[in-house]
Structures are given as C-alpha cells and as structure tokens.
Amino acid sequence: MKITNITGCLNFMAGKVHVYSDFDGTYCPAKHSSLHIDGENSFMKDYCSKIDSFIKSTEGDLHMHITTGRTFGEYEAVSHLLKLREFHLPLPESFISKNGSDEFIKNGSDVEFYENGVFPYKYSEPNKLKEKEIKKHTNWDGENLRNFIKDLSKKYHLKLIEADSENSVRDYGNNSLFSDGKLNPDEWKKLPHKDGKIAEHKIPIADFVLGARKDGNLKINLIFSPDYGYCPERNYIYDNFMNEIKKYLKANNVEYAMEWETPNKHNHYRNHCNITPRINNSALTKVFDTKQALAKAIKENDMVVVAGDGSNDFDMLNPLEYIEKSDWEKYKSEGKCQYFYEADMKNKLSLIHNAFEGKDDKLKQELESNGLIKQIKKMPLYSIIINKDNPSLKLIQKTFERFGKVITVDNAKLDDGITSAIRNYASEKNSFFEAMSDKFKTYIIGTTKKKDYKNLIYSAIAISTAGGLGVIYKNTTRTKNESITNQKN
C-alpha cells in the first residue's frame, strides 16, 4: 500500500480534519464495567455535551471515525448501554470494528438512536470499497472464506457456534459465546489435571464444537474445545480441519496471517486462532485505515488526527508506521547506521529517542541529514495519546513529542487534543490554514486573518497548558504465516 509523497500536487480548497479515535478509554472515557452501575460516571453528561457541541461546531470541517478493538455486536451493545444511562455520546460518521476489520458507515441520526433505539449501522452492510481495496492487495475474500469454514465444519461434523463476543455474559448476555447453550466456560474443569495443568488423555471429554466470533468479513476468529492439544483424537481432527483452511487459502493465493492465542485462564483454556489479511508482511491492524486516510489527506490538503490509549493503538499512533517500505529501503541503502534500519519498530523508537537525547550523535546526524525526520515533521498526521500508564505508548510519546507530532491529554480531554493538533498544523502549514473555512478558523483559532493566526495559536497553547490540559509541544505445526501470542484481541 503506497502513500502519496508529501510533496505531491495539493488541492488547496480542502482544509478538513479526519479523526480516527479508539473508543474505550479515548472517545468514551467511562469504563465499560462502570456503565452497568446506575449513578456512576457523573462527569459523562458534561463530557458528551462538550463533544456534541465540538462536533456540531466543526460540522463539515471535522470528520469523526471510531476505530475500536470491539466487534460490531460489542460496539452496538455498549452504545445501547450509554443510551440507557442517558449519556448521548455523538455517534461517528463511521466505525471500524475489531482492530482494523470491517468499516460500517453511519446511515441514520443520533436522534433516531437515542430517542427510538435505531442503531445507524448494519452488520450486513460493511464498506465494500474497503473490502475491494484489501482484496486487491491480498486476494482476501472474507465472505467466501467464512462460507468455506461453515461447509468444512459440516464435513467434520463440528457443531459451529457463532456469537458477537467471547467476553463475559455479564456484559453481553446471549450475545456472548459463553452464554447458556453455547460454549461452556468451565468445560476445562472436566479434563484430567496433573501438577495444576491439563493432562494428556486418550478419550475425548470436552464437547466437539467450534466457536466463531463475528469479526466481520475481514477477520476470522475461531475458538476450539479445551482438549485440543491434549487429546490425540481431537488433535487429529482439528489439525486436519485447520490444514484444509490453509490449503484453501493457498489455492486462492491469499496473503494471510494466522495467530494463535495460547490457552490460559482468560480464554477458558481454549486455543484461539485469528486469521486476517496480510498487508505489507503483517496482520491487518488499525493502521491500514489511517494510512489510507493519510494518503488521501496529502492529496487533498487535509490532515489526519489519530487518538488512542492502549497497546492495540500502538501501530496507529506510531509515526514510523507511515513511512513507506520504498522510503525505508532508500534510507537504509544510503545509511551508515545499519543497526537502526534492521531493528524492529519498538527498538527503532528507542534508538531515535536515545539519539536525540545525546546518546548517539552519529545516528542523530544521519536521521537529520537523510530526510527521515523531515519527512515525519511534514506529515499532516498528529497522534493524541491519553495520559495513562502504558509503557509502549510512552515510548512513542517521548520519542516524537520533541517534534510536535504527539499530543498528550488527560482522560475526557480528547477535544482539547484535537484542537491543539489543528492549531499546531495550521501554524506550520500555511496552505492548510488558507484552505480552512472561515467558520473553522474562527472556531479553532479565533481569527480568519493570516497575520494574526500564529500569535493567537501560541497564546492559546500557553493558556491551555497553564489550565492543566497536559498538552505537550516540543520541536500444532505452524506454518510461516502463523504466530503465537498471549495477548487478547
């Protein structure tokens, strides 16, 4: 996937802002568990009113998208929970489910939802343009793959159980895979144990079933019986079942990634398998959508703001992810600090941070002279990180805050972060400022006049910082496609 060069031809009649925000802990600052408790989160009504006013005041100039780790069903469930608590959080123009899976475009109004309960998105109507784009790169056809798996389960006489979520019945009721009549969360307790671990056994004990979480057309999540891995008979059947899926993907020339979540108490000691399109040698994540948005923003003289608070937001928030493979190859071929280009993303971040902290002058000089830092600074992309104790995000923060590309805000201050990002870019990019509508300039900056905007921006930043906003401004046999992870989706 190629992002248009920063110096390409621009449309000077744009000046729009496209926000891609995580949901839990970012756009929605209240914890899901607390939403079940009537009377909790008293701050939410004021927050929702503030966000509603912000979005309405920037209507036509700012476009809000949610990119969440939730499935469609989970996002719908928490939206109804917000409605129940009378927290009228504005619904986005679109939301992207399950960490980069299907996008669902809003077709309805907030009023229809909060007054009549009509959810303005449909699971049966994902954005087909996104599916076509991914198929172009990977040959992935999720609808055909899902149908193949359904037919395959019949061939193996596997009872296939589908539901919106593998999370708790308390949160999702009958939409949980572990609700009554579906998968038994305590079934692992039936199995023989030795030294506190499930022991191998010859005779199958657990139910012969297959769980499937509804991840949309762009991701597949399969959940197996807890005796998979401990019972030879079950291993034989499940292994052959998975091998047929791999053969199907290979026969259709599908670029895919397969990740296995190891059995543990959090997943009820069941093997979980995630199958996704493979984009640029990695599994599909939130960054696919934001890279697409950035490419479009560069062409149209717009800007992109990404926001998040968790580890599943890491790729999306990391400016290095937006450097194209061809650019990396160019920097590496001309560079002397090969250890930097050969490092993984987290180590690259650490190496950049150390270089600009005076610990590697050679690398610092190279990154400044070869254009990498200049390319990052010129990107119409800003990352907002919610101020929480997340070590991986702190690494992004401390690496790029010095270049003004990362803004840190406290919980429930997302709108302040977005405003600051827009002010910052408008001060740096005159063509963007000129392309902004007068209404947008006045609301965000306070003036429509070119000669006044820089002083106003710096004054606003100083006031915001003094007010405690926390805004930071400084210049079984696995194949080659498979990996194992202990992280939950």
Side-chain angles (χ1 to χ4, degrees):
M1 182 173 59
K2 178 67 176 175
I3 289 180
T4 306
N5 192 292
I6 292 289
T7 58
C9 181
L10 298 176
N11 171 10
F12 292 100
M13 298 303 294
K16 310 299 182 185
V17 179
H18 306 273
V19 179
Y20 287 77
S21 173
D22 172 56
F23 184 71
D24 293 273
T26 306
Y27 189 63
C28 179
K31 290 183 178 180
H32 187 172
S33 58
S34 69
L35 290 173
H36 289 281
I37 306 170
D38 192 13
E40 288 287 307
N41 303 302
S42 58
F43 73 94
M44 275 293 288
K45 286 196 175 182
D46 286 342
Y47 171 77
C48 291
S49 177
K50 183 177 65 163
I51 291 293
D52 184 59
S53 176
F54 178 69
I55 291 176
K56 285 178 178 176
S57 297
T58 58
E59 187 176 6
D61 295 303
L62 185 143
H63 303 277
M64 178 65 70
H65 307 272
I66 294 301
T67 178
T68 176
R70 292 179 175 274
T71 64
F72 181 99
E74 290 171 341
Y75 179 71
E76 183 177 15
V78 78
S79 295
H80 280 283
L81 192 53
L82 288 165
K83 176 181 178 294
L84 178 67
R85 296 290 169 237
E86 297 185 352
F87 300 150
H88 293 183
L89 186 62
L91 297 169
E93 292 183 19
S94 75
F95 85 88
I96 300 154
S97 66
K98 211 57 199 170
N99 295 318
S101 187
D102 294 41
E103 180 178 30
F104 301 92
I105 298 170
K106 187 177 182 181
N107 185 18
S109 70
D110 289 20
V111 172
E112 287 178 324
F113 175 67
Y114 286 115
E115 291 188 2
N116 303 315
V118 181
F119 197 53
Y121 315 92
K122 290 185 179 179
Y123 184 71
S124 60
E125 297 179 5
N127 182 0
K128 292 299 180 182
L129 291 178
K130 179 177 179 179
E131 289 186 34
K132 288 180 181 178
E133 182 68 16
I134 287 178
K135 187 173 184 179
K136 182 174 72 176
H137 291 286
T138 66
N139 285 328
W140 176 279
D141 189 319
E143 194 170 349
N144 285 345
L145 175 57
R146 195 173 296 281
N147 289 332
F148 174 79
I149 291 172
K150 286 180 180 179
D151 291 340
L152 194 62
S153 65
K154 293 175 183 177
K155 173 183 174 180
Y156 281 84
H157 304 288
L158 268 168
K159 183 181 179 182
L160 179 64
I161 298 174
E162 294 183 281
D164 291 328
S165 177
E166 87 280 18
N167 291 321
S168 73
V169 176
R170 177 178 180 269
D171 285 336
Y172 300 106
N174 290 331
N175 292 324
S176 170
L177 274 164
F178 293 97
S179 57
D180 289 344
K182 298 184 178 71
L183 303 180
N184 181 357
D186 296 320
E187 196 163 30
W188 62 273
K189 295 178 182 178
K190 299 178 184 178
L191 306 181
H193 287 70
K194 183 178 181 181
D195 299 327
K197 298 180 180 180
I198 297 174
E200 290 190 8
H201 48 281
K202 292 184 178 180
I203 300 175
I205 298 172
D207 289 341
F208 188 47
V209 296
L210 179 69
R213 188 180 63 207
K214 292 182 178 179
D215 279 10
N217 289 334
L218 293 176
K219 291 193 176 185
I220 300 289
N221 174 271
L222 302 176
I223 303 174
F224 298 85
S225 292
D227 57 1
Y228 183 25
Y230 304 98
C231 176
E233 182 178 321
R234 287 289 162 79
N235 294 348
Y236 176 80
I237 296 172
Y238 283 131
D239 283 349
N240 279 289
F241 178 85
M242 290 305 300
N243 284 336
E244 288 212 41
I245 293 176
K246 294 172 194 175
K247 288 178 182 177
Y248 171 87
L249 293 167
K250 184 177 181 181
N252 287 278
N253 298 313
V254 178
E255 290 289 329
Y256 73 95
M258 187 174 286
E259 295 180 347
W260 291 84
E261 183 182 336
T262 56
N264 57 69
K265 64 180 181 180
H266 300 294
N267 59 27
H268 309 291
Y269 296 97
R270 293 171 180 264
N271 272 294
H272 285 225
C273 182
N274 294 293
I275 312 171
T276 68
R278 190 176 184 87
I279 306 286
N280 291 337
N281 295 318
S282 64
L284 180 65
T285 67
K286 293 182 178 185
V287 80
F288 176 86
D289 301 279
T290 53
K291 285 185 78 171
Q292 291 275 318
L294 180 60
K296 190 170 185 289
I298 291 169
K299 290 179 180 179
E300 299 183 358
N301 198 25
D302 290 344
M303 67 176 291
V304 174
V305 177
V306 294
D309 76 320
S311 298
N312 64 332
D313 301 313
F314 181 86
D315 289 352
M316 177 178 74
L317 294 168
N318 179 12
L320 294 183
E321 289 287 350
Y322 299 86
I323 305 294
E324 291 297 335
K325 182 180 178 181
S326 57
D327 292 325
W328 281 118
E329 290 173 349
K330 175 179 178 293
Y331 293 135
K332 182 178 180 180
S333 66
E334 297 173 355
K336 296 181 179 179
C337 301
Q338 292 298 305
Y339 57 89
F340 170 74
Y341 306 103
E342 293 170 359
D344 61 24
M345 277 299 183
K346 286 191 176 180
N347 282 323
K348 279 188 174 75
L349 288 169
S350 294
L351 288 167
I352 293 174
H353 175 257
N354 290 339
F356 283 85
E357 287 290 310
K359 298 177 182 178
D360 190 339
D361 290 337
K362 183 180 178 182
L363 178 60
K364 178 177 182 291
Q365 183 178 356
E366 181 166 318
L367 297 179
E368 288 180 324
S369 62
N370 69 3
L372 177 62
I373 298 301
K374 184 179 180 181
Q375 183 177 358
I376 291 169
K377 287 180 178 180
K378 282 190 173 183
M379 282 181 183
L381 174 80
Y382 288 79
S383 299
I384 298 173
I385 295 176
I386 307 300
N387 193 17
K388 296 178 182 177
D389 189 21
N390 188 308
S392 63
L393 299 190
K394 284 185 182 297
L395 180 58
I396 295 174
Q397 176 188 333
K398 69 181 183 180
T399 302
F400 290 109
E401 64 184 15
R402 72 184 71 245
F403 305 125
K405 303 304 291 184
V406 171
I407 297 168
T408 305
V409 297
D410 291 332
N411 198 39
K413 299 286 187 180
L414 177 62
D415 56 320
D416 294 323
I418 296 170
T419 299
S420 296
I422 299 169
R423 288 173 177 165
N424 194 29
Y425 189 57
S427 73
E428 297 294 330
K429 190 74 171 180
N430 184 55
S431 62
F432 176 79
F433 173 81
E434 295 296 341
M436 294 171 72
S437 70
D438 286 348
K439 180 191 73 171
F440 199 28
K441 290 176 186 175
T442 301
Y443 181 80
I444 296 294
I445 298 170
T447 183
T448 62
K449 296 180 180 180
K450 177 181 177 182
K451 65 180 181 179
D452 294 333
Y453 80 93
K454 279 198 174 182
N455 288 335
L456 282 167
I457 289 167
Y458 295 141
S459 296
I461 291 169
I463 292 169
S464 296
T465 304
L469 296 179
V471 178
I472 297 174
Y473 276 91
K474 294 182 181 178
N475 276 332
T476 314
T477 304
R478 312 299 190 199
T479 70
K480 66 178 181 178
N481 291 307
E482 295 176 78
S483 61
I484 299 174
T485 176
N486 285 312
Q487 295 181 351
K488 295 185 74 179
N489 259 359

